[in-house]
Amino acid sequence: MNVNVIGGGPGGLYASLLLKKSNPDWNITVYERDPADNTYGWGIVFSDSTLSALREADYKTHQQITNQFIKWDPIDVYYDGEYIRCGGHRFAGMMRADLKDILRERCAEVGVEMHFDTAIDDPKALAAESELLIGADGAQSVTRETFSEEFKPRITDGNAKFAWFGTEKPFDVFTFIFRENEDGLWRIHAYPGRKSTFIVECTEETWRNAGLDEKSEGEGLAYFEELFADHLNGYDLESKLYGWRNFPLVENRTWYHNDENVVLLGDAAHTAHFSIGSGTKMAMEDAIALYEGFEEHPEDEDAAIRWYEKERRPAVEALQKASRHSRKYFENVERYTNLDPQQFVFNMLTRSGRITYDELGIRDREYVDEFDRWHARRSNGTEAGQTVATPPMHQPLSLRDVTVPNRAAFSPTPSSDATDGTPSEPQLRRLTDLGLEGVGLVMTEPVAVSPIGRITPGTPGLYEADHRDAWASAVERTRDRADGTTLGIELVHAGQRGATKPRTYGLDRPLPEEDAWELLSASATPYTSSSQVPKAMDADDMERVREQFAHAAELADQAGFDLLQLHFGHGYLLSSFISPRTNERDDEYGGALENRLRYPLEVFDAVRTVWPDEKPVTVKLPATDWAPNGYDMGEAFTAGTRLKERGCDLLTVVAGQTTANDRPKFDTGVLGNYCEQIRNEVQVPTMSTNYLTTTDDVNTQVGGATADLCHWYPENVDVNSL
Amino acid sequence: MQVGIGLPNTLSNADRELTVSWARKAEAGPFTSLGVFDRLVYDSLDPFQTLAVCAGATEEIRLSTSIIAGPLRSNAMVAKKAATLDVLSDGRLTLGLALGARKDDYEAADSEYRTRGRRFTKQLDELRSYWEGDEIGPDPAQDGGPELLVGGSSDPAFKRVGRFGDGYIHGGGPPRAFAKDAEKARAAWSEEGRPGEPTLWGHGYFALGGEEQAERGREYLLDYYEFTGPFAERIAEGLLTTPQEIIQFIRGYEEEGCDELLLFPTVADEEQYDRLAEIVGNEWAGE
């Protein structure tokens, strides 16, 4: 078989080596546009699992590679004058140039033909004379661009600027340095090698402030040598091809083109941010999979190539997902600089979603013990040292005079068997039953502030003295048996989503006309195509509903609840004002965000006024509409800030459902991500509504400053039953 | 967890005798439901009519369309067919719906492929309206309509589960693949504010009786899923060919919280049924 390879990097060379070794009769030719001894990168990093794959694939190169390895396992972080080490991560690294030397020699040994200084301008012509063409020509792949119709690449650039440097200064472990100067915050990713790698990353703004867009190479290097003089200890920085780039995330619809037998490999097919592990590792794993494909299907190129993509894609996509989180973290580090160094580092270590609290404990027990002690000191507001501290989930949280004893919360979904707003016995019993499970906070399901504010005819309410007495009895029962659990009530006006059937029938199924009631909303637009058309609220309606919220708050206080939550999300009444998709008003309550927030904030103020000062008020706030031209994170930051200014004590972050035709994401971390961004951008405590089922999830989110409280769905408790 | 069995309706030599006897035996045997698949441009039997015949031949076993491509058919037609089958089976229908990924099916049905997602959402909404309304009868035997399972593994699919479904029907794969999607279905359910938990159904393929049968099964899967490209091989690799594999598969699904697991034949002969029934009946003690 006649195989041509474009690109003489580790991926292209390793694939050639493996294929040639196993098929000595094949003609394999590598074309590399640069000279043989030229390499732009510095060090590369491997993990343990890659190593065993290399060993299987070609023992000789494995030996040569591992002989060159420098191994280490801690990660060191320098931030805000503090130094924190976390061990157990197991890395191995070497110089990219050395790896290429090893691979080149071995390729020559098995008979791969290599042409350096040879650029392929016309991959199509080369493909025509190949039985297999391997595009291993990097992130800027010409092969990929030539066949872009087939591969359908998508390339998105990151926001941050970065540049690679090398230095003789020995960094002995992975070292992250975060340093602020007059120009902004700099992030350094440094790691060991024959020479150390030293990557500088910053926001575009910082980059401009420092004048790096105009500085020469010499000036640029001098700037960082001075700024990081304490870490470089007088060693110089070196640059091979000085330049600042934005990280390109490369994805392709497919990695092979059957008609021409072209296959992409390494960065040409997919990139992953430099902060989570090198592209070299992925390229070499690709090479192994491609070779294995031909071992599995020796007589059938199409099947072999398909096998390669099938084998690699799940692993690559998982890594790219983690890479995306990691990149976003590094692009937005400024958001986290209010965190204490201990939490800053924990947040950084768990950023990609691959490492959790428990996982860190396995890697470095001492580090986690120290973190637990720090977290316990902070949560208890004392400096007193503890020898052994319980994990973050079990630390208290103070909101005004109320202390939530731990960080897990139960918050059940709407149920439907109340009568005229009076909660049913099962609804009340649920509060008590959940209250006995030991979580810090038990919320009620959404409770309506008026008859027409009910979601279904069976939605419980709080607008009559009878309702108050019923809730009060449940609160008392719970306190008798579980003193210390914080009890919260969530107040809602269903607005456009009112007058529906119980949710066992599906969401938003309208009641038959004869059973329905008139609905109110910001505008006269129905929630779904089959929903009833609501009335756009006039001034009287707004005053009345505001008073209903305040009245319900008074009753809630009388019933003995510790905490009150207002529902601003999910398309209910207050949400219909906030979202530009449902608010079509042309008065002072419509239009710009400040106007759309006006009425919900008036309701908040009215409630805050009657609700006792010593008790917290929280708001369930949407992070995004998940819809084009909708409310988004930028608006959520503003809304959160306004609420915080008015005395809101915590935000419960939800997303979507503000319109029925939203496009939600059910990625298991997505609500946590929104929650984390709002918490750290607005500097307000948050509750995560992510579907968390384990204590590890809760510890990771609370520890990493994603949330201060977490909705929790442990396996043994049916939080949503009824 | 309960275990159901698929009918051979997409296998080319399934005739009346095989189908009806398969259904009758299943009712008596260890299985709790019968499943059918849906394919238009293929040598297969229509899923609704296959189930209708089986409804007449059985009394108690659940009948499930698992999975049919909803938007391939008009909404009113699906509503009527499903309601009819529900009435004639005395409330035994579980309607499993998903998008269907075969372009040629859509072309042959004269139904637009590109807009099928949007149309599917509308279809799910309208199905309930037809069943609840009086315009198009019959009223389904089950209150509010047949049990409705929604399939797929994209974000919009999970939203449909939360919004319209009584549960989620997974497309197949090893237990860990099921577990991943089941977790998302539960998350969607919870995040959309539905009470309780979604009912979860899973799928598997089997070919028992030796290497020759296994090879026939694999060939069928490669052919049936040819349109998915490399993915077909992954599906074929997952074919269950020994009693041990079947038991492990069943246990795996049970551990991941599956409520009903449907095992589909890939070879159409009665012996396949008997072999599976023996394994499930004797070696796995389910609910």
Side-chain angles (χ1 to χ4, degrees):
Chain A
M1 196 156 97
N2 185 24
V3 181
N4 286 301
V5 182
I6 305 183
L13 291 176
Y14 199 48
S16 304
L17 157 64
L18 296 177
L19 290 171
K20 180 72 182 175
K21 198 178 76 162
S22 164
N23 307 279
D25 56 323
W26 289 10
N27 293 318
I28 301 183
T29 314
V30 178
Y31 298 93
E32 166 60 46
R33 71 191 152 139
D34 287 324
D37 55 355
N38 194 11
T39 180
Y40 299 119
W42 296 89
I44 53 169
V45 181
F46 290 105
S47 69
D48 277 5
S49 60
T50 316
L51 289 182
S52 61
L54 293 182
R55 186 192 175 106
E56 294 278 313
D58 186 59
Y59 188 70
K60 189 164 178 187
T61 45
H62 172 264
Q63 287 298 90
Q64 290 172 311
I65 289 168
T66 46
N67 281 344
Q68 298 254 2
F69 266 149
I70 297 170
K71 294 195 178 192
W72 72 92
D73 70 24
I75 293 175
D76 282 359
V77 187
Y78 293 87
Y79 166 69
D80 198 21
E82 300 244 3
Y83 157 66
I84 292 170
R85 167 169 286 200
C86 176
H89 299 278
R90 302 173 75 100
F91 298 104
M94 67 188 296
M95 301 307 285
R96 191 168 190 272
D98 296 348
L99 175 63
K100 280 180 63 180
D101 287 344
I102 292 170
L103 293 174
R104 232 176 23 241
E105 265 173 44
R106 185 86 174 105
C107 275
E109 210 175 289
V110 300
V112 173
E113 204 178 314
M114 287 172 283
H115 299 283
F116 293 91
D117 277 317
T118 310
I120 299 296
D121 300 324
D122 188 0
K124 254 195 182 124
L126 189 60
E129 61 185 63
S130 320
E131 280 160 282
L132 175 68
L133 179 67
I134 300 176
D137 45 352
Q140 317 281 340
S141 172
V142 178
T143 316
R144 182 184 67 226
E145 290 317 309
T146 304
F147 297 102
S148 61
E149 288 281 298
E150 287 78 21
F151 295 127
K152 294 195 173 47
R154 195 172 68 163
I155 299 160
T156 31
D157 279 341
N159 292 328
K161 288 278 175 195
F162 75 97
W164 291 70
F165 303 111
T167 176
E168 294 283 350
K169 146 84 200 216
F171 282 93
D172 58 347
V173 305
F174 234 122
T175 306
F176 292 102
I177 306 164
F178 298 89
R179 170 156 299 168
E180 201 158 7
N181 70 353
E182 64 281 4
D183 295 324
L185 180 72
W186 303 92
R187 310 88 157 118
I188 302 301
H189 312 239
Y191 50 88
R194 190 156 46 72
K195 282 188 179 184
S196 300
T197 303
F198 192 91
I199 305 170
V200 179
E201 189 186 12
C202 61
T203 62
E204 175 127 12
E205 193 189 344
T206 301
W207 182 73
R208 283 191 196 287
N209 288 345
L212 286 165
D213 47 341
E214 290 171 353
K215 278 192 170 66
S216 69
E217 176 171 352
E219 290 168 334
L221 291 174
Y223 179 91
F224 294 112
E225 281 163 0
E226 193 195 325
L227 182 57
F228 295 101
D230 52 342
H231 287 280
L232 291 170
N233 308 113
Y235 288 96
D236 291 340
L237 286 178
E238 299 167 37
S239 162
K240 281 193 177 148
L241 190 69
Y242 181 77
W244 291 88
R245 288 187 290 150
N246 291 56
F247 178 79
L249 175 71
V250 175
E251 294 161 295
N252 283 280
R253 180 73 187 78
T254 67
W255 300 340
Y256 68 87
H257 173 25
N258 255 345
D259 299 345
E260 307 270 358
N261 278 338
V262 184
V263 61
L264 295 179
L265 180 152
D267 277 356
H270 47 70
T271 58
H273 194 247
F274 50 85
S275 58
I276 65 155
S278 73
T280 306
K281 158 193 144 74
M282 278 162 83
M284 292 182 71
E285 287 171 345
D286 286 355
I288 293 172
L290 185 63
Y291 146 79
E292 286 175 349
F294 280 97
E295 296 291 291
E296 291 275 332
H297 301 279
E299 301 299 323
D300 184 348
E301 291 104 68
D302 284 357
I305 300 172
R306 280 206 304 272
W307 194 93
Y308 151 71
E309 176 160 351
K310 178 195 75 174
E311 189 67 14
R312 285 296 291 153
R313 193 171 269 281
V316 165
E317 283 178 353
L319 205 67
Q320 284 192 312
K321 184 176 159 188
S323 145
R324 202 170 289 126
H325 289 308
S326 185
R327 173 172 62 84
K328 288 211 161 135
Y329 167 80
F330 279 102
E331 285 174 1
N332 292 292
V333 182
E334 280 79 1
R335 184 179 288 147
Y336 309 104
T337 49
N338 278 298
L339 300 177
D340 285 305
Q342 287 280 0
Q343 195 158 30
F344 181 91
V345 171
F346 187 95
N347 174 277
M348 197 205 90
L349 293 170
T350 54
R351 70 189 179 275
S352 72
R354 287 191 304 177
I355 300 179
T356 65
Y357 174 86
D358 284 355
E359 176 67 28
L360 281 173
I362 291 164
R363 294 182 184 207
D364 187 346
R365 192 63 247 168
E366 258 178 67
Y367 163 79
V368 171
D369 286 346
E370 179 57 37
F371 178 75
D372 284 347
R373 284 193 290 272
W374 169 84
H375 199 274
R377 280 199 303 277
R378 202 182 90 123
S379 300
N380 290 289
T382 72
E383 279 304 307
Q386 284 174 282
T387 319
V388 181
T390 47
M393 173 173 172
H394 297 289
Q395 298 302 333
L397 175 71
S398 293
L399 299 167
R400 300 199 181 221
D401 289 356
V402 171
T403 299
V404 184
N406 63 58
R407 306 307 185 93
F410 286 155
S411 184
T413 55
S415 66
S416 191
D417 64 354
T419 311
D420 296 326
T422 305
S424 67
E425 191 45 39
Q427 284 168 337
L428 295 170
R429 201 169 52 231
R430 176 157 80 175
L431 191 70
T432 308
D433 288 349
L434 293 179
L436 299 179
E437 296 287 345
V439 294
L441 171 66
V442 175
M443 297 289 295
T444 64
E445 63 183 282
V447 173
V449 298
S450 75
I452 69 160
R454 289 176 299 164
I455 302 167
T456 71
T459 298
L462 185 49
Y463 41 88
E464 307 274 357
D466 286 353
H467 305 163
R468 174 200 57 204
D469 297 343
W471 287 114
S473 71
V475 170
E476 201 181 309
R477 257 189 314 193
T478 312
R479 291 222 193 286
D480 280 350
R481 298 170 62 193
D483 197 22
T485 302
T486 302
L487 297 176
I489 182 165
E490 177 173 280
L491 296 181
V492 72
H493 190 301
Q496 57 181 343
R497 295 187 78 180
T500 61
K501 293 186 178 178
R503 292 189 165 203
T504 45
Y505 293 87
L507 250 59
D508 301 296
R509 307 298 312 167
L511 288 172
E513 230 169 276
E514 60 274 21
D515 301 330
W517 52 81
E518 189 186 38
L519 301 184
L520 296 176
S521 189
S523 304
T525 48
Y527 187 66
T528 73
S529 55
S530 47
S531 299
Q532 192 190 145
V533 180
K535 178 194 175 205
M537 288 173 82
D538 60 25
D540 289 345
D541 297 324
M542 288 165 76
E543 191 185 335
R544 193 175 59 252
V545 170
R546 190 171 59 233
E547 282 170 6
Q548 286 166 344
F549 268 102
H551 179 57
E554 284 173 328
L555 295 176
D557 178 43
Q558 292 163 17
F561 285 102
D562 306 306
L563 175 151
L564 183 146
Q565 175 155 285
L566 294 175
H567 205 321
F568 275 30
H570 288 172
Y572 296 124
L573 186 80
L574 299 177
S575 158
S576 72
F577 278 85
I578 298 174
S579 170
R581 302 276 306 231
T582 46
N583 183 333
E584 295 172 4
R585 300 177 74 96
D586 49 19
D587 60 5
E588 70 267 37
Y589 294 98
L593 176 68
E594 298 290 342
N595 289 349
R596 284 181 273 125
L597 281 174
R598 194 182 306 268
Y599 183 62
L601 291 177
E602 286 175 11
V603 170
F604 180 89
D605 290 343
V607 165
R608 187 65 267 183
T609 307
V610 300
W611 184 250
D613 275 348
E614 63 273 19
K615 294 186 188 180
V617 175
T618 71
V619 167
K620 202 176 228 177
L621 183 74
T624 169
D625 282 347
W626 267 325
N629 305 317
Y631 166 96
D632 57 16
M633 280 297 284
E635 297 202 326
F637 291 150
T638 307
T641 304
R642 295 289 166 275
L643 283 163
K644 180 188 166 191
E645 289 161 1
R646 294 169 120 87
C648 177
D649 300 291
L650 175 139
L651 295 173
T652 299
V653 178
V654 294
Q657 290 187 54
T658 54
T659 63
N661 58 355
D662 61 351
R663 300 294 298 267
K665 293 185 188 137
F666 294 105
D667 178 322
T668 46
V670 69
L671 290 175
N673 291 336
Y674 292 139
C675 186
E676 182 266 330
Q677 291 177 51
I678 288 175
R679 183 191 186 279
N680 294 301
E681 187 74 31
V682 180
Q683 301 287 315
V684 65
T686 54
M687 175 145 64
S688 160
T689 60
N690 225 138
Y691 184 67
L692 305 184
T693 56
T694 66
T695 55
D696 187 27
D697 290 336
V698 178
N699 282 319
T700 305
Q701 293 213 345
V702 174
T706 293
D708 300 88
L709 288 169
C710 296
H711 278 196
W712 193 36
Y713 303 88
E715 228 169 63
N716 58 338
V717 180
D718 195 350
V719 178
N720 291 329
S721 69
L722 198 72
Chain B
M1 188 177 75
Q2 303 187 132
V3 177
I5 188 166
L7 291 164
N9 79 306
T10 53
L11 305 176
S12 53
N13 43 342
D15 54 13
R16 176 191 146 80
E17 197 190 323
L18 182 67
T19 304
V20 171
S21 86
W22 194 286
R24 282 213 181 99
K25 282 179 160 185
E27 167 138 290
F31 302 109
T32 47
S33 61
L34 293 171
V36 282
F37 279 140
D38 184 22
R39 193 48 86 64
L40 186 56
V41 186
Y42 203 76
D43 182 6
S44 62
L45 302 173
D46 177 77
F48 276 118
Q49 300 190 59
T50 304
L51 285 184
V53 167
C54 294
T58 57
E59 295 289 333
E60 288 186 349
I61 195 163
R62 210 144 178 91
L63 309 167
S64 67
T65 66
S66 65
I67 308 171
I68 68 173
L72 214 51
R73 299 164 176 83
S74 89
N75 303 351
M77 294 288 262
V78 175
K80 180 135 191 147
K81 279 173 189 267
T84 302
L85 190 48
D86 198 44
V87 167
L88 293 181
S89 69
D90 205 12
R92 287 188 281 144
L93 177 65
T94 292
L95 186 64
L97 296 174
L99 277 182
R102 290 210 20 157
K103 267 193 189 149
D104 52 355
D105 278 359
Y106 276 86
E107 274 160 22
D110 210 5
S111 172
E112 200 181 27
Y113 181 80
R114 199 175 46 81
T115 58
R116 71 201 199 289
R118 190 158 46 77
R119 290 190 292 117
F120 186 36
T121 299
K122 191 154 175 278
Q123 179 174 63
L124 290 166
D125 190 11
E126 289 185 4
L127 281 179
R128 297 274 194 191
S129 303
Y130 285 122
W131 293 332
E132 287 161 8
D134 297 326
E135 271 179 34
I136 295 183
D139 275 342
Q142 296 173 72
D143 185 27
E147 180 180 34
L148 184 58
L149 305 178
V150 183
S153 57
S154 64
D155 287 325
F158 291 114
K159 175 175 165 164
R160 291 182 195 113
V161 174
R163 196 154 189 84
F164 306 104
D166 294 310
Y168 176 62
I169 185 157
H170 185 248
R176 68 174 187 285
F178 169 81
K180 227 167 94 184
D181 284 338
E183 186 74 357
K184 283 193 182 184
R186 289 192 198 100
W189 199 258
S190 166
E191 283 162 18
E192 295 273 339
R194 291 289 296 276
E197 286 207 348
T199 303
L200 301 172
W201 285 49
H203 281 119
Y205 280 113
F206 71 95
L208 291 162
E211 193 40 46
E212 194 198 319
Q213 305 287 22
E215 199 42 50
R216 279 173 67 191
R218 276 193 282 270
E219 270 168 32
Y220 159 74
L221 290 175
L222 288 174
D223 182 52
Y224 193 72
Y225 288 104
E226 200 237 331
F227 72 101
T228 64
F231 196 69
E233 285 178 51
R234 198 150 18 143
I235 296 169
E237 270 168 28
L239 182 68
L240 308 168
T241 59
T242 65
Q244 290 81 350
E245 282 175 1
I246 302 242
I247 293 300
Q248 272 174 19
F249 191 80
I250 291 176
R251 290 212 180 105
Y253 265 74
E254 188 179 34
E255 270 169 32
E256 302 301 349
C258 182
D259 294 301
E260 180 104 14
L261 175 63
L262 280 163
L263 296 173
F264 274 83
T266 51
V267 175
D269 66 46
E270 196 118 8
E271 192 196 79
Q272 290 296 312
Y273 174 88
D274 295 338
R275 286 180 186 272
L276 185 71
E278 196 189 313
I279 295 166
V280 172
N282 295 341
E283 297 192 38
W284 183 75
E287 291 171 347

